[in-house]
PDB file of all heavy atoms in Angstrom:
ATOM      1  N   CYS J1173     229.084 184.415 176.856  1.00  0.00           N
ATOM      2  CA  CYS J1173     229.044 183.038 176.354  1.00  0.00           C
ATOM      3  C   CYS J1173     230.415 182.379 176.440  1.00  0.00           C
ATOM      4  O   CYS J1173     230.518 181.165 176.642  1.00  0.00           O
ATOM      5  CB  CYS J1173     228.555 183.029 174.903  1.00  0.00           C
ATOM      6  SG  CYS J1173     226.855 183.579 174.686  1.00  0.00           S
ATOM      7  N   ILE J1174     231.454 183.169 176.269  1.00  0.00           N
ATOM      8  CA  ILE J1174     232.813 182.626 176.363  1.00  0.00           C
ATOM      9  C   ILE J1174     233.181 182.320 177.814  1.00  0.00           C
ATOM     10  O   ILE J1174     233.793 181.288 178.108  1.00  0.00           O
ATOM     11  CB  ILE J1174     233.824 183.621 175.759  1.00  0.00           C
ATOM     12  CG1 ILE J1174     233.584 183.768 174.254  1.00  0.00           C
ATOM     13  CG2 ILE J1174     235.261 183.170 176.023  1.00  0.00           C
ATOM     14  CD1 ILE J1174     234.451 184.828 173.604  1.00  0.00           C
ATOM     15  N   ALA J1175     232.807 183.206 178.709  1.00  0.00           N
ATOM     16  CA  ALA J1175     233.339 183.154 180.080  1.00  0.00           C
ATOM     17  C   ALA J1175     232.450 182.455 181.095  1.00  0.00           C
ATOM     18  O   ALA J1175     232.925 182.148 182.193  1.00  0.00           O
ATOM     19  CB  ALA J1175     233.622 184.583 180.568  1.00  0.00           C
ATOM     20  N   TRP J1176     231.176 182.179 180.784  1.00  0.00           N
ATOM     21  CA  TRP J1176     230.280 181.682 181.820  1.00  0.00           C
ATOM     22  C   TRP J1176     230.715 180.317 182.370  1.00  0.00           C
ATOM     23  O   TRP J1176     230.421 179.987 183.520  1.00  0.00           O
ATOM     24  CB  TRP J1176     228.847 181.591 181.314  1.00  0.00           C
ATOM     25  CG  TRP J1176     228.572 180.463 180.346  1.00  0.00           C
ATOM     26  CD1 TRP J1176     228.699 180.494 178.998  1.00  0.00           C
ATOM     27  CD2 TRP J1176     228.124 179.138 180.669  1.00  0.00           C
ATOM     28  NE1 TRP J1176     228.365 179.288 178.445  1.00  0.00           N
ATOM     29  CE2 TRP J1176     228.009 178.433 179.453  1.00  0.00           C
ATOM     30  CE3 TRP J1176     227.823 178.475 181.858  1.00  0.00           C
ATOM     31  CZ2 TRP J1176     227.598 177.109 179.389  1.00  0.00           C
ATOM     32  CZ3 TRP J1176     227.417 177.149 181.801  1.00  0.00           C
ATOM     33  CH2 TRP J1176     227.307 176.485 180.591  1.00  0.00           C
ATOM     34  N   VAL J1177     231.418 179.532 181.556  1.00  0.00           N
ATOM     35  CA  VAL J1177     231.800 178.181 181.983  1.00  0.00           C
ATOM     36  C   VAL J1177     232.874 178.216 183.067  1.00  0.00           C
ATOM     37  O   VAL J1177     232.821 177.439 184.027  1.00  0.00           O
ATOM     38  CB  VAL J1177     232.310 177.376 180.768  1.00  0.00           C
ATOM     39  CG1 VAL J1177     232.820 176.021 181.219  1.00  0.00           C
ATOM     40  CG2 VAL J1177     231.209 177.222 179.738  1.00  0.00           C
ATOM     41  N   ALA J1178     233.850 179.126 182.916  1.00  0.00           N
ATOM     42  CA  ALA J1178     235.029 179.100 183.785  1.00  0.00           C
ATOM     43  C   ALA J1178     234.703 179.124 185.278  1.00  0.00           C
ATOM     44  O   ALA J1178     235.196 178.269 186.035  1.00  0.00           O
ATOM     45  CB  ALA J1178     235.961 180.249 183.422  1.00  0.00           C
ATOM     46  N   PRO J1179     233.896 180.090 185.765  1.00  0.00           N
ATOM     47  CA  PRO J1179     233.694 180.135 187.216  1.00  0.00           C
ATOM     48  C   PRO J1179     232.774 179.046 187.769  1.00  0.00           C
ATOM     49  O   PRO J1179     232.737 178.850 188.985  1.00  0.00           O
ATOM     50  CB  PRO J1179     233.083 181.530 187.422  1.00  0.00           C
ATOM     51  CG  PRO J1179     232.438 181.869 186.131  1.00  0.00           C
ATOM     52  CD  PRO J1179     233.270 181.223 185.075  1.00  0.00           C
ATOM     53  N   ILE J1180     232.015 178.341 186.909  1.00  0.00           N
ATOM     54  CA  ILE J1180     231.107 177.315 187.434  1.00  0.00           C
ATOM     55  C   ILE J1180     231.488 175.922 186.940  1.00  0.00           C
ATOM     56  O   ILE J1180     230.707 174.981 187.088  1.00  0.00           O
ATOM     57  CB  ILE J1180     229.642 177.626 187.052  1.00  0.00           C
ATOM     58  CG1 ILE J1180     229.457 177.559 185.533  1.00  0.00           C
ATOM     59  CG2 ILE J1180     229.202 178.960 187.604  1.00  0.00           C
ATOM     60  CD1 ILE J1180     228.010 177.686 185.114  1.00  0.00           C
ATOM     61  N   LEU J1181     232.686 175.793 186.407  1.00  0.00           N
ATOM     62  CA  LEU J1181     233.123 174.499 185.897  1.00  0.00           C
ATOM     63  C   LEU J1181     233.179 173.462 187.020  1.00  0.00           C
ATOM     64  O   LEU J1181     232.836 172.290 186.812  1.00  0.00           O
ATOM     65  CB  LEU J1181     234.500 174.636 185.231  1.00  0.00           C
ATOM     66  CG  LEU J1181     234.905 173.521 184.264  1.00  0.00           C
ATOM     67  CD1 LEU J1181     233.898 173.391 183.137  1.00  0.00           C
ATOM     68  CD2 LEU J1181     236.289 173.798 183.702  1.00  0.00           C
ATOM     69  N   HIS J1182     233.581 173.895 188.195  1.00  0.00           N
ATOM     70  CA  HIS J1182     233.664 172.958 189.318  1.00  0.00           C
ATOM     71  C   HIS J1182     232.281 172.463 189.726  1.00  0.00           C
ATOM     72  O   HIS J1182     232.134 171.345 190.244  1.00  0.00           O
ATOM     73  CB  HIS J1182     234.353 173.627 190.507  1.00  0.00           C
ATOM     74  CG  HIS J1182     233.572 174.758 191.106  1.00  0.00           C
ATOM     75  ND1 HIS J1182     233.469 175.995 190.501  1.00  0.00           N
ATOM     76  CD2 HIS J1182     232.841 174.841 192.260  1.00  0.00           C
ATOM     77  CE1 HIS J1182     232.735 176.787 191.250  1.00  0.00           C
ATOM     78  NE2 HIS J1182     232.334 176.116 192.315  1.00  0.00           N
ATOM     79  N   ILE J1183     231.241 173.277 189.489  1.00  0.00           N
ATOM     80  CA  ILE J1183     229.877 172.842 189.797  1.00  0.00           C
ATOM     81  C   ILE J1183     229.438 171.755 188.825  1.00  0.00           C
ATOM     82  O   ILE J1183     228.845 170.745 189.221  1.00  0.00           O
ATOM     83  CB  ILE J1183     228.910 174.043 189.730  1.00  0.00           C
ATOM     84  CG1 ILE J1183     229.280 175.082 190.791  1.00  0.00           C
ATOM     85  CG2 ILE J1183     227.467 173.587 189.909  1.00  0.00           C
ATOM     86  CD1 ILE J1183     228.406 176.328 190.755  1.00  0.00           C
ATOM     87  N   LEU J1184     229.738 171.948 187.544  1.00  0.00           N
ATOM     88  CA  LEU J1184     229.344 170.970 186.534  1.00  0.00           C
ATOM     89  C   LEU J1184     230.058 169.642 186.727  1.00  0.00           C
ATOM     90  O   LEU J1184     229.518 168.579 186.389  1.00  0.00           O
ATOM     91  CB  LEU J1184     229.646 171.525 185.136  1.00  0.00           C
ATOM     92  CG  LEU J1184     228.842 172.755 184.710  1.00  0.00           C
ATOM     93  CD1 LEU J1184     229.332 173.262 183.357  1.00  0.00           C
ATOM     94  CD2 LEU J1184     227.349 172.434 184.645  1.00  0.00           C
ATOM     95  N   GLN J1185     231.274 169.668 187.273  1.00  0.00           N
ATOM     96  CA  GLN J1185     232.048 168.449 187.482  1.00  0.00           C
ATOM     97  C   GLN J1185     231.847 167.853 188.870  1.00  0.00           C
ATOM     98  O   GLN J1185     232.359 166.768 189.146  1.00  0.00           O
ATOM     99  CB  GLN J1185     233.537 168.744 187.260  1.00  0.00           C
ATOM    100  CG  GLN J1185     233.893 169.116 185.831  1.00  0.00           C
ATOM    101  CD  GLN J1185     235.366 169.458 185.658  1.00  0.00           C
ATOM    102  OE1 GLN J1185     235.987 170.025 186.555  1.00  0.00           O
ATOM    103  NE2 GLN J1185     235.919 169.114 184.509  1.00  0.00           N
ATOM    104  N   GLY J1186     231.095 168.556 189.721  1.00  0.00           N
ATOM    105  CA  GLY J1186     230.905 168.098 191.096  1.00  0.00           C
ATOM    106  C   GLY J1186     229.811 167.062 191.227  1.00  0.00           C
ATOM    107  O   GLY J1186     229.059 166.779 190.287  1.00  0.00           O
ATOM    108  N   PRO J1187     229.663 166.510 192.434  1.00  0.00           N
ATOM    109  CA  PRO J1187     228.650 165.460 192.663  1.00  0.00           C
ATOM    110  C   PRO J1187     227.224 165.978 192.572  1.00  0.00           C
ATOM    111  O   PRO J1187     226.297 165.207 192.317  1.00  0.00           O
ATOM    112  CB  PRO J1187     228.981 164.969 194.084  1.00  0.00           C
ATOM    113  CG  PRO J1187     229.695 166.121 194.724  1.00  0.00           C
ATOM    114  CD  PRO J1187     230.465 166.787 193.628  1.00  0.00           C
ATOM    115  N   ASP J1188     227.012 167.285 192.802  1.00  0.00           N
ATOM    116  CA  ASP J1188     225.673 167.870 192.752  1.00  0.00           C
ATOM    117  C   ASP J1188     225.432 168.641 191.463  1.00  0.00           C
ATOM    118  O   ASP J1188     224.625 169.571 191.427  1.00  0.00           O
ATOM    119  CB  ASP J1188     225.470 168.805 193.958  1.00  0.00           C
ATOM    120  CG  ASP J1188     225.600 168.087 195.283  1.00  0.00           C
ATOM    121  OD1 ASP J1188     225.165 166.919 195.359  1.00  0.00           O
ATOM    122  OD2 ASP J1188     226.136 168.682 196.244  1.00  0.00           O
ATOM    123  N   SER J1189     226.093 168.257 190.405  1.00  0.00           N
ATOM    124  CA  SER J1189     225.983 168.964 189.133  1.00  0.00           C
ATOM    125  C   SER J1189     224.569 168.883 188.575  1.00  0.00           C
ATOM    126  O   SER J1189     223.957 167.795 188.579  1.00  0.00           O
ATOM    127  CB  SER J1189     226.961 168.365 188.120  1.00  0.00           C
ATOM    128  OG  SER J1189     226.752 168.909 186.832  1.00  0.00           O
ATOM    129  N   PRO J1190     224.007 170.001 188.092  1.00  0.00           N
ATOM    130  CA  PRO J1190     222.688 169.962 187.449  1.00  0.00           C
ATOM    131  C   PRO J1190     222.715 169.170 186.140  1.00  0.00           C
ATOM    132  O   PRO J1190     221.682 168.697 185.682  1.00  0.00           O
ATOM    133  CB  PRO J1190     222.369 171.443 187.204  1.00  0.00           C
ATOM    134  CG  PRO J1190     223.698 172.120 187.177  1.00  0.00           C
ATOM    135  CD  PRO J1190     224.565 171.368 188.123  1.00  0.00           C
ATOM    136  N   VAL J1191     223.899 169.076 185.536  1.00  0.00           N
ATOM    137  CA  VAL J1191     224.085 168.276 184.322  1.00  0.00           C
ATOM    138  C   VAL J1191     225.312 167.390 184.545  1.00  0.00           C
ATOM    139  O   VAL J1191     226.438 167.810 184.259  1.00  0.00           O
ATOM    140  CB  VAL J1191     224.282 169.169 183.080  1.00  0.00           C
ATOM    141  CG1 VAL J1191     224.329 168.305 181.818  1.00  0.00           C
ATOM    142  CG2 VAL J1191     223.194 170.216 182.966  1.00  0.00           C
ATOM    143  N   PRO J1192     225.137 166.194 185.077  1.00  0.00           N
ATOM    144  CA  PRO J1192     226.304 165.332 185.371  1.00  0.00           C
ATOM    145  C   PRO J1192     227.174 165.130 184.133  1.00  0.00           C
ATOM    146  O   PRO J1192     226.686 164.756 183.066  1.00  0.00           O
ATOM    147  CB  PRO J1192     225.653 164.015 185.818  1.00  0.00           C
ATOM    148  CG  PRO J1192     224.308 164.421 186.328  1.00  0.00           C
ATOM    149  CD  PRO J1192     223.871 165.564 185.467  1.00  0.00           C
ATOM    150  N   MET J1193     228.471 165.371 184.291  1.00  0.00           N
ATOM    151  CA  MET J1193     229.405 165.303 183.170  1.00  0.00           C
ATOM    152  C   MET J1193     230.712 164.691 183.616  1.00  0.00           C
ATOM    153  O   MET J1193     231.142 164.879 184.755  1.00  0.00           O
ATOM    154  CB  MET J1193     229.681 166.708 182.600  1.00  0.00           C
ATOM    155  CG  MET J1193     228.464 167.513 182.244  1.00  0.00           C
ATOM    156  SD  MET J1193     228.887 169.198 181.755  1.00  0.00           S
ATOM    157  CE  MET J1193     229.691 168.876 180.189  1.00  0.00           C
ATOM    158  N   THR J1194     231.344 163.986 182.704  1.00  0.00           N
ATOM    159  CA  THR J1194     232.703 163.523 182.948  1.00  0.00           C
ATOM    160  C   THR J1194     233.682 164.624 182.570  1.00  0.00           C
ATOM    161  O   THR J1194     233.314 165.625 181.947  1.00  0.00           O
ATOM    162  CB  THR J1194     233.001 162.269 182.107  1.00  0.00           C
ATOM    163  OG1 THR J1194     232.980 162.626 180.716  1.00  0.00           O
ATOM    164  CG2 THR J1194     231.986 161.174 182.376  1.00  0.00           C
ATOM    165  N   SER J1195     234.929 164.436 182.922  1.00  0.00           N
ATOM    166  CA  SER J1195     235.948 165.421 182.587  1.00  0.00           C
ATOM    167  C   SER J1195     236.097 165.565 181.072  1.00  0.00           C
ATOM    168  O   SER J1195     236.246 166.667 180.547  1.00  0.00           O
ATOM    169  CB  SER J1195     237.290 165.021 183.214  1.00  0.00           C
ATOM    170  OG  SER J1195     238.304 165.943 182.851  1.00  0.00           O
ATOM    171  N   ASP J1196     236.024 164.422 180.368  1.00  0.00           N
ATOM    172  CA  ASP J1196     236.145 164.461 178.911  1.00  0.00           C
ATOM    173  C   ASP J1196     234.975 165.204 178.284  1.00  0.00           C
ATOM    174  O   ASP J1196     235.145 165.995 177.348  1.00  0.00           O
ATOM    175  CB  ASP J1196     236.218 163.039 178.366  1.00  0.00           C
ATOM    176  CG  ASP J1196     236.397 163.009 176.862  1.00  0.00           C
ATOM    177  OD1 ASP J1196     237.431 163.514 176.382  1.00  0.00           O
ATOM    178  OD2 ASP J1196     235.505 162.489 176.164  1.00  0.00           O
ATOM    179  N   GLN J1197     233.768 164.966 178.789  1.00  0.00           N
ATOM    180  CA  GLN J1197     232.590 165.665 178.274  1.00  0.00           C
ATOM    181  C   GLN J1197     232.679 167.168 178.534  1.00  0.00           C
ATOM    182  O   GLN J1197     232.256 167.983 177.705  1.00  0.00           O
ATOM    183  CB  GLN J1197     231.328 165.097 178.915  1.00  0.00           C
ATOM    184  CG  GLN J1197     230.958 163.711 178.430  1.00  0.00           C
ATOM    185  CD  GLN J1197     229.789 163.125 179.194  1.00  0.00           C
ATOM    186  OE1 GLN J1197     229.609 163.374 180.396  1.00  0.00           O
ATOM    187  NE2 GLN J1197     228.981 162.315 178.505  1.00  0.00           N
ATOM    188  N   THR J1198     233.247 167.532 179.667  1.00  0.00           N
ATOM    189  CA  THR J1198     233.401 168.952 179.987  1.00  0.00           C
ATOM    190  C   THR J1198     234.336 169.631 178.994  1.00  0.00           C
ATOM    191  O   THR J1198     234.061 170.745 178.515  1.00  0.00           O
ATOM    192  CB  THR J1198     233.956 169.121 181.411  1.00  0.00           C
ATOM    193  OG1 THR J1198     233.067 168.499 182.344  1.00  0.00           O
ATOM    194  CG2 THR J1198     234.101 170.590 181.761  1.00  0.00           C
ATOM    195  N   SER J1199     235.432 168.963 178.662  1.00  0.00           N
ATOM    196  CA  SER J1199     236.379 169.562 177.720  1.00  0.00           C
ATOM    197  C   SER J1199     235.752 169.732 176.343  1.00  0.00           C
ATOM    198  O   SER J1199     235.983 170.721 175.651  1.00  0.00           O
ATOM    199  CB  SER J1199     237.647 168.705 177.623  1.00  0.00           C
ATOM    200  OG  SER J1199     237.359 167.442 177.049  1.00  0.00           O
ATOM    201  N   TRP J1200     234.927 168.744 175.938  1.00  0.00           N
ATOM    202  CA  TRP J1200     234.242 168.879 174.656  1.00  0.00           C
ATOM    203  C   TRP J1200     233.227 170.018 174.698  1.00  0.00           C
ATOM    204  O   TRP J1200     233.072 170.766 173.728  1.00  0.00           O
ATOM    205  CB  TRP J1200     233.540 167.573 174.293  1.00  0.00           C
ATOM    206  CG  TRP J1200     234.435 166.592 173.609  1.00  0.00           C
ATOM    207  CD1 TRP J1200     234.902 165.412 174.112  1.00  0.00           C
ATOM    208  CD2 TRP J1200     234.981 166.707 172.294  1.00  0.00           C
ATOM    209  NE1 TRP J1200     235.720 164.786 173.202  1.00  0.00           N
ATOM    210  CE2 TRP J1200     235.780 165.556 172.061  1.00  0.00           C
ATOM    211  CE3 TRP J1200     234.892 167.670 171.286  1.00  0.00           C
ATOM    212  CZ2 TRP J1200     236.468 165.348 170.877  1.00  0.00           C
ATOM    213  CZ3 TRP J1200     235.571 167.463 170.104  1.00  0.00           C
ATOM    214  CH2 TRP J1200     236.343 166.323 169.898  1.00  0.00           C
ATOM    215  N   MET J1201     232.529 170.144 175.805  1.00  0.00           N
ATOM    216  CA  MET J1201     231.545 171.214 175.945  1.00  0.00           C
ATOM    217  C   MET J1201     232.188 172.586 175.827  1.00  0.00           C
ATOM    218  O   MET J1201     231.667 173.495 175.165  1.00  0.00           O
ATOM    219  CB  MET J1201     230.823 171.078 177.291  1.00  0.00           C
ATOM    220  CG  MET J1201     229.666 172.046 177.506  1.00  0.00           C
ATOM    221  SD  MET J1201     230.162 173.573 178.348  1.00  0.00           S
ATOM    222  CE  MET J1201     230.595 172.948 179.965  1.00  0.00           C
ATOM    223  N   VAL J1202     233.353 172.744 176.441  1.00  0.00           N
ATOM    224  CA  VAL J1202     234.063 174.022 176.358  1.00  0.00           C
ATOM    225  C   VAL J1202     234.511 174.288 174.922  1.00  0.00           C
ATOM    226  O   VAL J1202     234.434 175.419 174.425  1.00  0.00           O
ATOM    227  CB  VAL J1202     235.276 174.016 177.313  1.00  0.00           C
ATOM    228  CG1 VAL J1202     236.124 175.260 177.108  1.00  0.00           C
ATOM    229  CG2 VAL J1202     234.804 173.929 178.765  1.00  0.00           C
ATOM    230  N   SER J1203     234.953 173.254 174.218  1.00  0.00           N
ATOM    231  CA  SER J1203     235.516 173.424 172.876  1.00  0.00           C
ATOM    232  C   SER J1203     234.464 173.631 171.800  1.00  0.00           C
ATOM    233  O   SER J1203     234.765 174.183 170.734  1.00  0.00           O
ATOM    234  CB  SER J1203     236.361 172.190 172.509  1.00  0.00           C
ATOM    235  OG  SER J1203     237.392 171.991 173.437  1.00  0.00           O
ATOM    236  N   PHE J1204     233.227 173.209 172.041  1.00  0.00           N
ATOM    237  CA  PHE J1204     232.202 173.282 171.005  1.00  0.00           C
ATOM    238  C   PHE J1204     231.906 174.711 170.564  1.00  0.00           C
ATOM    239  O   PHE J1204     231.376 174.931 169.466  1.00  0.00           O
ATOM    240  CB  PHE J1204     230.903 172.605 171.483  1.00  0.00           C
ATOM    241  CG  PHE J1204     230.712 171.223 170.931  1.00  0.00           C
ATOM    242  CD1 PHE J1204     230.992 170.119 171.705  1.00  0.00           C
ATOM    243  CD2 PHE J1204     230.270 171.035 169.634  1.00  0.00           C
ATOM    244  CE1 PHE J1204     230.830 168.833 171.209  1.00  0.00           C
ATOM    245  CE2 PHE J1204     230.108 169.761 169.123  1.00  0.00           C
ATOM    246  CZ  PHE J1204     230.383 168.651 169.902  1.00  0.00           C
ATOM    247  N   ILE J1205     232.228 175.693 171.380  1.00  0.00           N
ATOM    248  CA  ILE J1205     231.966 177.072 171.000  1.00  0.00           C
ATOM    249  C   ILE J1205     232.824 177.508 169.818  1.00  0.00           C
ATOM    250  O   ILE J1205     232.507 178.482 169.123  1.00  0.00           O
ATOM    251  CB  ILE J1205     232.186 178.018 172.204  1.00  0.00           C
ATOM    252  CG1 ILE J1205     231.481 179.353 171.966  1.00  0.00           C
ATOM    253  CG2 ILE J1205     233.671 178.231 172.482  1.00  0.00           C
ATOM    254  CD1 ILE J1205     231.439 180.256 173.193  1.00  0.00           C
TER     255      ILE J1205
END
Side-chain angles (χ1 to χ4, degrees):
C1173 295
I1174 294 175
W1176 73 271
V1177 175
I1180 65 173
L1181 199 58
H1182 66 285
I1183 297 178
L1184 295 175
Q1185 294 178 325
D1188 300 324
S1189 172
V1191 186
M1193 308 174 70
T1194 65
S1195 178
D1196 182 62
Q1197 288 174 327
T1198 301
S1199 66
W1200 275 110
M1201 186 267 293
V1202 173
S1203 302
F1204 259 101
I1205 199 170

